[in-house]
Amino acid sequence: SRMLLLVLLALLGPAGCPKTEPLSESSQEPLFRGADRYDFAIIVPAGTVECFWQFAHQSGSFFFSYEVQRATGIANNRNILATARDPKGIQLGASQHMRGQIDFLTEETGFYQLCLDNQQNHFGFMQVYLNFGVYYEGFNTEQKQPEESKELNSTLEAIEVSIQKLQLHIFHMWRFYNFARMRKGADSFLLESNYNYVNWWSMAQSCVIVLSGVLQLYFLKRLFSVQPPGRQRC
């Protein structure tokens, strides 16, 4: 009966919402927190909501960027609703455009929820490129013990500060690189769509021109055709 109950709970649970790590605290092993940042593309089917959970410590800077690279359907609307919520379920930001960015400071440690809502589009899917995560400016230096700081000389402290600034600059360059990847992917799909549209429309126009020419020639030929005289009877 216990196995049957677990199967029922699994079937009744929310579908289509992958998590970056488990929420169970019963195990004695430390939880796998996953990476601090992710970038990937995902297909959001028509009329569905896709959600993700990202773990973040307190006093961090959370970023969430997205770009709709491709959309299908009748209206071909590329706007999608993106929302971000804190571990208590309070909404921290929302964006309903073809591309957007939500940034906020993490005031508590826990799992932050990111969702993409495609429920307004009932006839087509959307391919969305995501870039989200959290970074901590000076996080390691705040956790350092005072006695450890006293043991370091000024030269090592200066080198450490320079390395931290360099890492932060590299991180922001990585974000700008992902913005360029988002825009490049969207432009590539748009260019391919326009190319196919022009080819099909040109082919259709060519067929119409040829067909109209054939019809005109046929009617002109019938207009100037002379009926042969009938045979005279003696």
Side-chain angles (χ1 to χ4, degrees), residues 138-158:
F139 181 79
N140 295 329
T141 58
E142 294 177 359
Q143 301 295 330
K144 190 176 299 182
Q145 300 295 330
E147 56 271 13
E148 294 179 356
S149 301
K150 294 179 180 178
E151 294 177 359
L152 297 177
N153 54 37
S154 58
T155 303
L156 292 178
E157 290 180 354

Side-chain angles (χ1 to χ4, degrees), residues 64-77:
F64 175 35
S65 304
Y66 69 92
E67 171 94 22
V68 178
Q69 296 180 322
R70 182 174 55 173
T72 61
I74 299 177
N76 199 18
N77 186 9

